[in-house]
Amino acid sequence: MLGVNLRPAVARFWAPVVRGLLKVGVTANTVTLVGTVGAIASAVFGIGTGHLFWGALAVTFFVLLDMLDGALARARGGGSVFGAVLDSTGDRAADAAIFGGLVWWFSGAGDNRLLVLLALLCLVLGVLTSYVKARAEGVGLSADVGIVERTERLILVLVGTGFSGLGIPYAVHVALWVLLVGSAVTVAQRFTAVRRESRGMQLPSRPAGESTGRPAS
């Protein structure tokens, strides 16, 4: 997975910053919040207003903080359960803002209904990709497979958006089509992995009236 391969290089890049933040007492949760708010603001006020290149560049910077908060948590002796939930929630919010910014722009001044549809489908498939893994882990399984995870998803959409902002024709079209197909394959891969691992397993029986373990609709 690309994210795993990139993590050591990004960790080396952030190492001096981590040491500086440790000295002044900045926490990993603070970095998570700054990264999330910064990515959302950049997506809304950059990408959403048609400043595609600068918006994508700004979002990229704040998304990189996602690896900085993890490095900072490890340097402090390990992250907390709350920090892990905060980080995961922030990731989902930033992802939604990026695709929401594209939808906002291309449904208005950008005037391209096809790109609106593609961005919405990519957003839904991205949510499903994360949800299948989280739900599988919640019942003791693993769904850590797929050709397009969050790192690949962000690279595709941000590079495509940035190139489009530089005037390269159909850059965002190609990026979203590739992302759409890759995300659909990833969801299928994760469902297949869960089905294979769960053969013969049953959820524990509960008295009538109690939760069955299924999420609320």
Side-chain angles (χ1 to χ4, degrees), residues 14-45:
W14 282 124
V17 180
V18 170
R19 290 193 292 269
L21 292 176
L22 285 172
K23 289 181 180 179
V24 298
V26 175
T27 67
N29 289 347
T30 299
V31 173
T32 299
L33 288 172
V34 170
T36 299
V37 172
I40 292 173
S42 299
V44 171
F45 297 108

Side-chain angles (χ1 to χ4, degrees), residues 58-116:
V59 171
T60 299
F61 170 77
F62 285 109
V63 162
L64 287 175
L65 293 181
D66 181 54
M67 291 189 176
L68 174 59
D69 61 6
L72 188 58
R74 288 189 293 273
R76 288 184 174 277
S80 65
V81 172
F82 173 76
V85 174
L86 178 66
D87 181 57
S88 181
T89 304
D91 289 349
R92 305 290 82 74
D95 292 356
I98 293 167
F99 290 101
L102 288 171
V103 169
W104 184 262
W105 172 247
F106 287 112
S107 64
D111 192 23
N112 192 314
R113 296 184 67 186
L114 174 60
L115 290 180
V116 171

Side-chain angles (χ1 to χ4, degrees), residues 174-190:
V174 172
L176 291 179
W177 274 114
V178 172
L179 180 55
L180 175 64
V181 174
S183 296
V185 171
T186 299
V187 171
Q189 287 177 305
R190 292 193 168 183

Side-chain angles (χ1 to χ4, degrees), residues 182-200:
S183 296
V185 171
T186 299
V187 171
Q189 287 177 305
R190 292 193 168 183
F191 269 116
T192 301
V194 171
R195 182 176 178 81
R196 182 172 58 249
E197 288 187 44
S198 64
R199 283 199 179 100

